[in-house]
Amino acid sequence: MKLRLIVCCLLLSIGSIWAKDDARKASEALIKRVIPEKASSFKVEMFQPKDGKDCFEIESKGNKIILRGNNGVSVASALYHYLKYYCNAHISWNGDNLNLPSRLPEVPEKVACPTAFDHRVYLNYCTISYTMAWWDWERWQREIDWMAMHGINMPLAVIGQEAVWQNTLRRFKMNDDEIRTFLVGPAFQAWQWMTNIETYGGPLPQSWIDSHQVLGQQILERQRELGMTPILQSFTGFVPIKLKEKYPDARIKDKNRWCNAFTATVQLDPLDPLFKEMGQAFLEEQQKLYGTNHIYAADPFHEGAAPSNEKSYLEAVGKVIWEVASGFDSEAVIAMQTWSLREAIARTFPQDRLLLLDLGGWNVEKFNSFWNYPYVAGVLHNYGGRVYMGGNLALYAKNAHELKQSPKGGNIQGIGLFP
């Protein structure tokens, strides 16, 4: 018994060393990508803060700048803090200022910076269609580095979802031509993943599906090696209209046309046995391609009417979404936007298995502090075609922090950036 315990402890210790080494290597690789000429001036050290919260430290030792963190995101945040506040450098979506001095400035006193928030969430579905639809790996690699340097640890990850849908629908009597016709064009995918349109701008070429499966895998591998927890997708009952022909006895209900302009969509009744069968298949196919970090986005009826607004129906929707996710993954947590939140759906989830994403940080009072569910208070900028730096910037800067200190702030656990 003692020998077995010693072996287990040794294995855990070795695993921890390997994990730290992987995080260090990922951090060093990021530094070389961002400032290749100066990378040798930095030394990365990994440490574990006593309280378990993400934290970084910076100090000078000899001729090196020490960047210390508990994961790749923390180290990358330390790098950006140093570049910004000691070198007057800047890295942004629209350009960089990396005219660094020939001799990097020393850090007079050690800097220690813990985070106030466990979750730092990034990306709105719309961002991915409106801005990122045509990005290749080189552009995504730069964005992931930008995320890490700005402390983001929970990005929405939907690149490559087309392959998940294709593999799932092949199991439900649909051929590839029908599936590619169901899938919308790249610039409209946000609204398909938010369950509001199908077909528009399609059919999607097979070459796109195949190439973006590879791209999605590259993105997730990089995010994970830096210590991020990507948000994958769950199943909410949105299915192709064609499925009505394939399963005439299934309860598949028509939904209103989104914005009265695009193609109609349908919803599989949560009480129909096909719902759980398809949900299980979807999560299986997604995990085969992309693995999991146990957090899944589920936004039923986003900006659309449900087939029924009866409380019992909405509760059944929430209940079965949770049963599918938790039945597949015992560690599952559902991430749900509050944009079109329905209380009857949300409150069917266990208190510790739902993370609400308040995109604009403005719904706390409307939803009674989110009934004490954990949530993220976000900033929704560049909204409605506005690209200038304007609005109540002071409010954006302090909103999440004030909610954290306020009794009305409820169970706030994170901040978010949802352009």
Side-chain angles (χ1 to χ4, degrees):
M1 188 68 181
K2 282 186 177 179
L3 181 59
R4 186 183 300 173
L5 186 61
I6 291 169
V7 170
C8 287
C9 290
L10 281 172
L11 289 173
L12 286 170
S13 177
I14 292 168
S16 177
I17 291 168
W18 282 345
K20 287 181 180 178
D21 193 49
D22 288 345
R24 180 183 56 78
K25 289 177 180 177
S27 302
E28 290 170 345
L30 181 146
I31 296 168
K32 289 176 183 176
R33 288 191 298 272
V34 175
I35 45 170
E37 300 85 0
K38 298 292 185 182
S40 61
S41 299
F42 294 88
K43 182 181 178 183
V44 173
E45 295 181 357
M46 308 307 300
F47 80 114
Q48 190 60 45
K50 291 179 181 179
D51 62 1
K53 301 285 187 181
D54 287 352
C55 178
F56 69 74
E57 295 178 353
I58 311 169
E59 64 179 320
S60 293
K61 280 189 178 180
N63 61 348
K64 298 284 187 181
I65 307 298
I66 309 299
L67 304 176
R68 195 175 290 119
N70 60 308
N71 54 42
V73 170
S74 296
V75 173
S77 300
L79 171 68
Y80 192 62
H81 185 98
Y82 175 79
L83 293 175
K84 181 175 180 178
Y85 293 104
Y86 292 86
C87 303
N88 296 317
H90 184 65
I91 298 171
S92 81
W93 291 309
N94 299 317
D96 301 335
N97 170 19
L98 286 172
N99 297 319
L100 303 181
S102 56
R103 180 178 173 82
L104 293 181
E106 291 187 3
V107 181
E109 295 182 6
K110 183 168 78 170
V111 175
C113 187
T115 179
F117 297 102
D118 292 340
H119 307 308
R120 287 91 64 193
V121 187
Y122 181 51
L123 289 176
N124 184 342
Y125 289 89
C126 296
T127 328
I128 293 168
S129 278
Y130 298 174
T131 298
M132 304 171 169
W134 316 110
W135 283 10
D136 58 11
W137 169 238
E138 183 180 357
R139 182 62 185 86
W140 267 108
Q141 181 171 242
R142 174 185 163 83
E143 190 74 7
I144 296 166
D145 289 344
W146 180 94
M147 293 182 204
M149 288 186 287
H150 288 79
I152 289 157
N153 68 350
M154 190 176 281
L156 179 65
V158 295
I159 302 301
Q161 275 295 300
E162 311 93 319
V164 178
W165 276 99
Q166 184 174 61
N167 292 353
T168 301
L169 293 173
R170 282 171 174 166
R171 294 169 59 172
F172 292 90
K173 304 181 183 180
M174 289 186 67
N175 63 47
D176 281 1
D177 286 342
E178 292 168 334
I179 294 168
R180 291 191 304 102
T181 299
F182 160 69
L183 294 169
V184 301
F188 306 97
Q189 286 178 337
W191 298 101
Q192 182 153 54
W193 308 150
M194 291 188 290
T195 75
N196 287 328
I197 61 173
E198 67 168 79
T199 300
Y200 198 85
L204 199 62
Q206 188 63 45
S207 59
W208 178 277
I209 298 173
D210 295 340
S211 66
H212 281 68
Q213 175 185 319
V214 174
L215 179 59
Q217 289 166 338
Q218 288 177 297
I219 290 168
L220 287 164
E221 181 180 8
R222 177 60 52 76
Q223 290 174 343
R224 286 167 175 153
E225 72 181 19
L226 288 168
M228 297 181 188
T229 303
I231 301 174
L232 295 176
Q233 299 299 289
S234 195
F235 183 75
T236 62
F238 169 72
V239 293
I241 295 171
K242 193 74 175 176
L243 218 64
K244 294 175 76 172
E245 297 176 21
K246 309 290 184 179
Y247 295 87
D249 295 330
R251 295 190 295 277
I252 300 175
K253 301 179 181 180
D254 293 332
K255 292 166 60 182
N256 292 338
R257 293 171 66 188
W258 178 67
C259 290
N260 295 316
F262 294 92
T263 51
T265 55
V266 295
Q267 176 76 18
L268 177 58
D269 192 308
L271 301 180
D272 192 290
L274 188 60
F275 189 107
K276 286 188 177 180
E277 188 181 346
M278 286 198 74
Q280 176 79 15
F282 179 89
L283 291 171
E284 286 174 359
E285 295 300 335
Q286 179 173 250
Q287 181 154 313
K288 286 177 190 175
L289 292 175
Y290 304 124
T292 186
N293 290 85
H294 310 294
I295 183 159
Y296 306 92
D299 295 297
F301 320 125
H302 180 91
E303 287 196 10
S308 168
N309 283 318
E310 291 290 331
K311 183 181 179 183
S312 59
Y313 175 81
L314 296 176
E315 287 175 341
V317 170
K319 182 179 180 182
V320 76
I321 289 172
W322 173 241
E323 286 176 352
V324 168
S326 60
F328 175 77
D329 181 352
S330 61
E331 299 179 55
V333 174
I334 295 295
M336 187 177 292
Q337 298 180 30
T338 68
W339 191 259
S340 301
L341 185 65
R342 290 164 173 82
E343 179 179 351
I345 293 176
R347 297 189 74 171
T348 60
F349 292 85
Q351 201 78 26
D352 60 342
R353 296 303 185 91
L354 179 67
L355 178 66
L356 294 171
L357 308 180
D358 188 7
L359 302 193
W362 49 45
N363 279 329
V364 181
E365 290 189 25
K366 176 182 176 182
F367 291 114
N368 191 24
S369 301
F370 298 117
W371 318 290
N372 208 42
Y373 279 93
Y375 74 97
V376 165
V379 175
L380 202 170
H381 67 295
N382 294 11
Y383 173 57
R386 298 174 178 86
V387 296
Y388 53 82
M389 183 64 81
N392 193 337
L393 303 184
L395 174 64
Y396 294 155
K398 68 184 181 180
N399 185 44
H401 294 278
E402 288 191 349
L403 286 170
K404 192 172 179 67
Q405 301 301 321
S406 169
K408 295 181 180 179
N411 191 10
I412 183 169
Q413 292 192 4
I415 54 176
L417 190 62
F418 302 106

